[in-house]
Structures are given as structure tokens and as C-alpha cells.
Amino acid sequence: MQQKLAILVGVVLVLFLNVFSSQASKLNVAIVADFSRLDESENNVNELSEILSTVFDSLAGEKNITVQSFDSLKAGLGTDLSSDIFNAVDPIQLLQANTPLRIDALLFASIGKINKKNILTIRAAEFPSGTTIEHISVPLKSVEPGKFKESLVAPFNAVFTSLHQDETTLGFPLHPDEKGIVIVAGNFDNENLKNAIDRFSSQLLPGESESDMIPPRIKLLSYAHVDDPGDDEFKLGQAINEKLHSRFVVFWPDSADSNEHKSAEIVFSKSQVPTPFVERYAPLNPGYKNLTTFQCGLDSSEIELLSEAIFPIGENEYPRFEQFIADSLDRFQVPLLMNVAMNSHHVWVSDSTNPDRDSTRYTVAKMIYENLHERKMKSAATKGWIDWNLGAFYRQNAQFDSAAIRLASCDSLFTLSHDSLGLALSALEKARLANAQKKWSDAKTAYQSVLDFVTAQHDTFSSANIYSHLAMIAELEGDSDSAENYYQKSAELNSALHNTYGSFRIYGHLGELMRNVNQPAKSLEYLKTSLQKADEMHNEPVLARALFQLGVTSVVLGLNDEAIQHFHDAAGYMKILGDSAGLARVDNKLGTIYLNRKDYEKAQSSYEAALYLATRRADSSNMLQSLFNLGEMASEQKRWNFSQENFDQALKIARGLGNPRLVANVLYSKGLAHLKEGLLRSGYDEVKEAIDMTNGSVYGTPEESRAFLAKIEALIGDMHELNSRMKYGTFRSN
């Protein structure tokens, strides 16, 4: 390489590169490398710089890269290049320094110790906006000169590839993890314009509670570089937002560089929603003009409120915010308030698993949504989307009655405005609400409306999802035929989507459902299909599950030899996975097969093997099942003491789990064992307690349970009478 890499401050080197893609689009890239964090024993900057030069020499041959001087950029900025430059220097100064150079991106590369390993970190940032294009960290095998070169080539090649893939006609998109806005203006050399934009951008900062957040990335575009907006800045703004992933676009008027009161057109982005319809959740902005676009006074309090549409309001800022809008909320425009509310709404629901989340976000969203709801609006669609977000917000916060009112309202508004998207999302939210309230009939009606919409949209993923919901509702309602039909349709659509795992889960569930409704032959066929899907995936956990369920159904059908084989095959995968709980379940099932064959030795051996595995892992569920099975087996053998010892231990675990049904099941079997032994009073008390706990379902219907207890009571009475007449009785009533 003719020109050597220059060294800045002893440890930082900078070079410029012209990168040509296969489409011949030219990119100018500056690379800043920092070796200062290496151990002194490894910190041979000159030698590493020479090696880096060799790497770029190689890249130059492969990707048409040439090295240029960096002095002009440094002189224009009056500062050294570092990763903090985008926060330390205002956007217009960066833009002006770049005007003669036309640099597209800066690459910041550093090598340092992390957990005793040398890590190469490369961050590619667009210049001058500072938005991240690519960020990678890779461990280096060595920084020894002989091995250093080969460690650099792959990561830098990957970064250069990303640069070409991500570039648009307007530069690079703003990074989704960074808050980015676009300002479109005329002559950025005008000093008044520079000062005005500087005042504007200085107000778009995170609050004290968001001190870990970086300021927003501001991308400056000249009107000369975008299509002429004409009279429709809304459409152009949405196109820019979509292409650059910006939070909003500001169209700065040419006349706003004077000291007079002026306003700018601001266009918020519409919500980026997932393609499958069923994965869309509030908050959601459809991108309508009335919800995204407004004229903002450049010296008004609306600019201050804009920052709340980027950064969520925290607990520390809330008193200021509340005072700021308490008496003047009504004067702020709908698009601005809507986006402030949606921002707080999004942060609140995204943090739903955090018990210590900041309730300020909830308060802000609720306050603004409810204010917007009360406003009179000419557009039914605008009012509909406000009510939809408010209704969904209520539903997400378990305020079900309020949610139902708002969703009914938005349904009427969407019907009035012929908004098919709004109607479909309203139906989806009503289905979710009815599900949460366990109003299965309402949920079914709403899901059917959603199904009609997504079917017309050829949204196969959503159709499969809705059929599964309808199947689950039918199952909960006890309609196994409809459930089977819906599940089959969902499975077929999942197969069409090549979603093998989805098909496996549905066929497996169908197998269990058919077994539970006493259709074991159908169960077996569905489970065989589930096993085929598992085989296609070559996935040990799903193979283990499929084989285990096949074993369970085979037992029901009396196919014990096949069942044993399925259980042994499942156990083979479980051993590979280290699944002790699964192995315990297998041993319990095998024990029951041997018990049915009256092979008590093998049965006890299997149950005790299950108990050992469960005890070792403190697996209460399998411990309970193993002890219960041992109690049942011993009762059948008339080993009364051993039976009661196991039932007592099982009962203790069941009570510890706090599950009344499990307690009742153990008590009932324990009582039956006492009755068989002839201890009628003890047996009766235990059986009665179990029946009372379950309203008779542990035995049968309430009527059948009462009749059974009456028989035991009569038998106990007869025994008392016999004992009073005979010196020695056959039975003991204790």
C-alpha cells in the first residue's frame, strides 16, 4: 500500500475508503481504529497498524477500495474522531464539515480485553447522523502479528457487506433501537436556520429517568435530495418514514430561518405492524393524516411535548409534565397527543412482566387517551382509532368493562367510516377480551369475524391461528367434534406453511383430546401423524413427547407390548436429554402396565424407580404419582400397612401443593383401601371427606356419591348391631 496509515494520539488510526458495490454505487467510509485498551505487553501499535494496512490492501483488491486523507474532516470539526462525536457536535456542524468530503459512514474499531479475551468491536455509523448501521463484537484468536490478519478479514468483510445492503437513495435507515427523526430543510448554511434547528433539537432529549438513553439521531436532508412534496407533505413524510424508519419527519419551511413566528409540518410514522394479522396489538397508528400530521409552531410548547413522543415520561418528570398540560391539554393537537399517549402505552405494556415498572407511563397514556375520546371530531375513523387504542389499553390492564364499552364504540365508528382494517382489529380485540372474561360464545363470534377477514387477505398464518382458537373454545365448551374439525383445519394450514412443529403440536393435542373423550382409535392415528412430524424435525424433545403419548394411548387400547416399546423408545431420548421428570413418568406408566398384568415385582420396581428419580429432583408431581401408585398396588395385594404408608406420604405432598383435587383423589383411594381392609369407620370418613371436597365428582355424580355413602353407612350400622350381639365380630368398625 503506497500510503501508510496515520496514527492519531499515539493509539488511534484513521483512513478513508471508497467502497464500490456490484451495482457501482459509491460509498465513502472513514475507519477509526483504537488499540489503547490492549495490555501493554500486546500493545504494539505500529506493528498492528501495518497488519491492518495489509488487510485493507487485500480488501482494496477485492472491493475496489482506495485510501484517502482524513485531515480535512478533522480540520472541519476541530476535534478528534471518536464514537462520541455525534453527541458532542451539533448535526449541522457535522453536515457542513462533511459537505466537501461526502463521507457516508464512520467505522469505529477497537480491540480490548473482556473476560480475559481480546474482543474486536466494530460499529459502523452513518455520517453525519450517527445512526448505527452495523455493530459486531467478535473474539480474536490472537493479536500476535502472525495470526492477527486472518482474524480481521471476516468481520470487516461482513461490515462492508452490510453497508451496501442497507444503503438507500436517502442514505442509511435509522436504527430501530435508536430514536431517529428526519429534518428536511433548504439552505443549511443559513445561520438563522442553524440556530433555530439547534434550539429545536436541544429540546428532544431523554428525561432524567432515561439517562441511559442516547439523544435522538437527527438525519438532515435537503429539499434537493427528496422528491418535491408539492401540496402533499403527508405522503412524502410517510414515504420517508417508511424508508428511513424515522419516528417523524419535520418539513422545515424556507421562511422559518427568520426571526418571525413560523411553523413546520410534522409527519409521524405509522405503526410498523407484523404481517400476520393476529400478531397486531395496541398501540397502533394506521398512518391516517388526521393521526400523524400537524403544523407545529417552531416557538410553541408543542416542540417541548414532541420529546415525550420519543422518550417515555418517567416518574421524576411526571410532576413537571402534569403541570405542563394540566390546564392546557385541550389546546394540543390530536396527532401530537396521540403519539405521546402511544409512546407511553407501548413502554407500559412492553414492561408488563416487571413488577416494579413505572406506573407514570400508564397514567400518562390513560389521561391523554381519555381526553382525546372526549373531543368532538369530524372524522369517524379518527375517533374510531382513538377508541380502539383506548379499549385495547383497558383490556391489556384488565379493565374489562371499560374495554367493552370503548370497543363497542369504535366498532360503530369503523362501520360508519367503512374502515375494514379497523373493523377487523376491533373484532380481534373483542375476541381477546371475551377470552380473558371466559365468555366463550362472544369469543367464538368475534374470532369468526376475524377469520373471514384474514381468509380474504390470504393470510394463512392468521387463519391457522384463528382455527386453533376456535378449536380451544369448542373444547372448553365440551364440543369435541367441532374442536376436532377446527384443529384439523389448523393443522392442514400449518402444513401448507411448512410449519412442521405447529402441525406436530396440533396432531399431538388431537391425540390427547380423542383419548380424553374415549375415542382411543382416533387418538392413535393422530398420535402416529404427530410422530411422523417429529421424525421430520429430527428433534429429540418432540420425539420423546410423541412416543410417550403413543404409549399412553396404546395402554388404553390394551396394546401393552406396543406401549412398552413406545415408552422404552421415549426413555431413550429422555436419557439423551437428561429429562429425569420424563423418565419418572415413563417408569410410572410402565409400572401400571405390569400391575395390570399382576406382575407385582416389576410394578413395584418401576414405581420405586420413578420415586427415586423424582425424589432426587424434588419433583413433587412425580413423587405424588409414584407414592399413589405404590399405595394402589399394595392395596390390591392386601399389604395394608405398606399401602397406607404410601398414601399418607402422597397425601402430605398433595396438601403441600395446595391442590384440593389431588388431596381428594388420594383421600378417596386411601379410604377405599381402609374399607377393603375392613376399617369401615376410617374408610367412610376419608371417602366422605373426598366426596365433599369435590361435590361427589371424585366418585361420580352427586346422586351416585350420596347413594354410595348411604351403603357404607348402612354397612357400618349392621356391623354395630352384629358386634352388640356377638362376642367376636367378623368386621371391625373401629
Side-chain angles (χ1 to χ4, degrees):
M1 182 176 285
Q2 296 290 324
Q3 181 177 345
K4 298 299 181 183
L5 298 174
I7 307 300
L8 293 180
V9 200
V11 295
V12 179
L13 59 91
V14 181
L15 52 90
F16 287 118
L17 307 173
N18 288 327
V19 184
F20 297 86
S21 71
S22 58
Q23 290 79 22
S25 64
K26 180 178 178 181
L27 289 176
N28 294 317
V29 181
I31 300 177
V32 182
D34 183 359
F35 301 139
S36 62
R37 290 186 294 135
L38 284 173
D39 288 346
E40 290 185 8
S41 60
E42 301 172 315
N43 194 358
N44 188 337
V45 174
N46 291 328
E47 190 168 10
L48 294 181
S49 299
E50 290 291 338
I51 295 170
L52 197 56
S53 297
T54 305
V55 170
F56 289 127
D57 199 20
S58 174
L59 287 174
E62 296 176 11
K63 297 185 179 293
N64 295 319
I65 297 171
T66 58
V67 181
Q68 302 179 16
S69 170
F70 62 86
D71 291 336
S72 298
L73 179 61
K74 182 183 176 184
L77 294 175
T79 182
D80 291 325
L81 299 182
S82 71
S83 59
D84 191 50
I85 190 173
F86 304 108
N87 300 331
V89 182
D90 72 74
I92 290 187
Q93 185 181 349
L94 291 172
L95 178 70
Q96 291 172 337
N98 191 44
T99 299
L101 301 171
R102 304 178 66 84
I103 300 168
D104 298 296
L106 289 181
L107 267 62
F108 299 96
S110 65
I111 303 172
K113 292 280 188 182
I114 300 177
N115 294 329
K116 299 182 179 180
K117 293 183 179 180
N118 286 311
I119 304 296
L120 169 66
T121 301
I122 307 173
R123 176 181 171 243
E126 184 187 40
F127 194 80
S129 75
T131 190
T132 300
I133 304 167
E134 180 66 277
H135 190 286
I136 62 173
S137 293
V138 294
L140 295 176
K141 294 179 180 179
S142 174
V143 291
E144 295 177 6
K147 300 179 180 179
F148 184 52
K149 176 182 176 181
E150 63 186 65
S151 300
L152 294 176
V153 175
F156 274 104
N157 263 321
V159 170
F160 285 127
T161 299
S162 294
L163 290 176
H164 283 300
Q165 289 175 341
D166 295 345
E167 187 196 14
T168 74
T169 55
L170 298 177
F172 293 95
L174 293 151
H175 194 277
D177 292 337
E178 299 171 347
K179 312 293 184 180
I181 67 171
V182 174
I183 296 178
V184 182
N187 182 10
F188 287 104
D189 292 330
N190 184 288
E191 193 63 26
N192 288 330
L193 174 63
K194 177 182 180 301
N195 293 334
I197 290 180
D198 187 51
R199 288 195 304 273
F200 174 80
S201 60
S202 67
Q203 296 185 71
L204 302 179
L205 296 173
E208 294 177 9
S209 64
E210 306 295 341
S211 57
D212 58 329
M213 288 188 175
I214 61 172
R217 297 304 183 196
I218 298 177
K219 191 176 178 76
L220 302 175
L221 296 177
S222 168
Y223 278 111
H225 291 94
V226 300
D227 295 332
D228 183 1
D231 295 328
D232 200 346
E233 290 178 331
F234 160 67
K235 288 185 179 179
L236 178 58
Q238 288 291 28
I240 292 173
N241 282 327
E242 186 170 354
K243 178 175 284 190
L244 297 180
H245 307 160
S246 45
R247 187 70 186 86
F248 58 82
V249 175
V250 182
F251 289 101
W252 206 275
D254 289 336
S255 58
D257 58 5
S258 70
N259 292 324
E260 301 177 15
H261 173 74
K262 301 296 180 182
S263 62
E265 184 93 351
I266 293 183
V267 182
F268 281 99
S269 63
K270 66 179 181 180
S271 297
Q272 300 298 314
V273 295
T275 301
F277 183 79
V278 292
E279 293 186 355
R280 298 180 187 181
Y281 291 87
L284 192 150
N285 188 329
Y288 297 168
K289 188 172 184 177
N290 288 345
L291 293 170
T292 59
T293 307
F294 71 106
Q295 288 286 330
C296 177
L298 297 179
D299 60 354
S300 71
S301 56
E302 287 181 314
I303 292 182
E304 184 176 348
L305 194 57
L306 269 174
S307 66
E308 320 299 356
I310 303 176
F311 301 101
I313 300 159
E315 184 177 0
N316 294 336
E317 294 86 47
Y318 181 68
R320 174 195 59 80
F321 175 80
E322 186 178 35
Q323 183 65 35
F324 175 60
I325 66 172
D327 301 321
S328 55
L329 187 60
D330 290 338
R331 67 185 173 83
F332 291 113
Q333 298 179 68
V334 170
L336 176 57
L337 285 178
M338 184 68 172
N339 282 275
V340 173
M342 288 175 58
N343 190 34
S344 287
H345 180 174
H346 171 72
V347 175
W348 173 251
V349 297
S350 298
D351 204 24
S352 60
T353 58
N354 178 10
D356 299 321
R357 59 179 171 163
D358 187 350
S359 62
T360 299
R361 282 72 189 269
Y362 166 83
T363 304
V364 169
K366 183 174 183 291
M367 175 174 58
I368 296 177
Y369 278 145
E370 290 179 346
N371 173 274
L372 292 175
H373 165 73
E374 294 297 329
R375 293 190 183 190
K376 292 182 179 180
M377 296 182 187
K378 294 180 180 179
S379 168
T382 301
K383 189 66 174 291
W385 281 102
I386 291 169
D387 279 8
W388 182 83
N389 278 283
L390 178 56
F393 177 77
Y394 283 141
R395 196 265 309 165
Q396 290 163 337
N397 288 284
Q399 297 169 260
F400 297 143
D401 292 341
S402 297
I405 294 170
R406 290 283 66 80
L407 291 173
S409 169
C410 73
D411 216 16
S412 301
L413 291 163
F414 287 142
T415 300
L416 185 64
S417 58
H418 307 289
D419 192 329
S420 58
L421 174 64
L423 280 169
L425 280 169
S426 177
L428 183 59
E429 268 304 313
K430 287 193 291 185
R432 290 167 178 160
L433 174 63
N435 254 351
Q437 295 177 296
K438 299 184 179 179
K439 295 182 177 180
W440 308 127
S441 178
D442 292 346
K444 184 164 53 178
T445 301
Y447 275 128
Q448 189 60 58
S449 296
V450 179
L451 181 62
D452 293 341
F453 177 82
V454 297
T455 301
Q457 298 293 316
H458 306 290
D459 185 350
T460 306
F461 180 95
S462 293
S463 295
N465 180 280
I466 298 300
Y467 275 125
S468 285
H469 279 292
L470 289 168
M472 286 186 279
I473 292 169
E475 189 176 346
L476 288 165
E477 291 182 324
D479 185 355
S480 59
D481 290 338
S482 294
E484 181 184 11
N485 181 48
Y486 287 135
Y487 278 131
Q488 282 182 325
K489 289 180 178 178
S490 182
E492 290 166 3
L493 291 173
N494 273 286
S495 294
L497 291 166
H498 305 290
N499 181 4
T500 308
Y501 181 70
S503 299
F504 155 78
R505 289 181 65 251
I506 294 170
Y507 283 121
H509 186 77
L510 272 169
E512 295 178 48
L513 173 62
M514 292 298 101
R515 186 173 67 231
N516 292 338
V517 297
N518 201 28
Q519 296 188 53
K522 273 190 174 181
S523 170
L524 191 68
E525 292 307 310
Y526 283 128
L527 290 172
K528 285 180 179 178
T529 305
S530 178
L531 179 60
Q532 290 174 359
K533 299 296 181 182
D535 279 330
E536 291 175 20
M537 288 185 282
H538 306 290
N539 183 303
E540 287 86 357
V542 297
L543 282 164
R545 178 175 176 79
L547 287 163
F548 181 84
Q549 292 298 330
L550 268 172
V552 175
T553 293
S554 297
V555 171
V556 175
L557 287 166
L559 305 172
N560 289 325
D561 290 337
E562 291 87 340
I564 290 171
Q565 186 60 55
H566 290 319
F567 286 136
H568 280 309
D569 290 344
Y573 289 113
M574 292 171 182
K575 288 176 182 175
I576 294 172
L577 297 166
D579 183 3
S580 297
L583 289 168
R585 286 192 291 273
V586 166
D587 282 329
N588 271 315
K589 293 296 183 183
L590 288 171
T592 300
I593 293 173
Y594 296 134
L595 179 60
N596 291 337
R597 290 177 168 180
K598 309 300 181 186
D599 189 340
Y600 297 117
E601 183 178 349
K602 281 189 176 181
Q604 182 166 339
S605 176
S606 295
Y607 290 146
E608 288 178 343
L611 181 60
Y612 170 76
L613 288 168
T615 303
R616 195 171 63 175
R617 285 177 45 89
D619 179 356
S620 298
S621 177
N622 274 314
M623 287 171 65
L624 173 60
Q625 187 65 60
S626 304
L627 290 164
F628 181 85
N629 289 340
L630 284 166
E632 291 273 78
M633 180 200 70
S635 175
E636 184 175 312
Q637 294 176 288
K638 299 182 181 180
R639 296 161 61 193
W640 308 121
N641 289 338
F642 186 62
S643 175
Q644 292 300 326
E645 287 172 5
N646 284 285
F647 281 137
D648 285 340
Q649 291 183 65
L651 188 59
K652 183 178 179 181
I653 293 173
R655 284 182 169 143
L657 292 172
N659 188 321
R661 182 71 198 196
L662 292 177
V663 172
N665 287 342
V666 178
L667 265 177
Y668 182 75
S669 291
K670 178 177 169 62
L672 287 182
H674 272 139
L675 291 174
K676 292 175 186 177
E677 185 182 357
L679 300 177
L680 300 184
R681 174 53 62 185
S682 296
Y684 172 82
D685 289 343
E686 290 159 348
V687 168
K688 185 177 186 304
E689 184 181 353
I691 287 174
D692 289 344
M693 290 177 68
T694 61
N695 194 28
S697 63
V698 72
Y699 177 82
T701 65
E703 294 76 15
E704 290 170 337
S705 300
R706 286 194 293 271
F708 178 55
L709 288 174
K711 289 180 181 179
I712 302 175
E713 290 166 0
L715 185 58
I716 292 174
D718 290 343
M719 291 303 100
H720 277 298
E721 184 176 351
L722 283 172
N723 283 335
S724 68
R725 293 172 180 237
M726 298 172 61
K727 186 176 181 180
Y728 300 103
T730 305
F731 295 96
R732 295 173 289 155
S733 64
N734 71 310

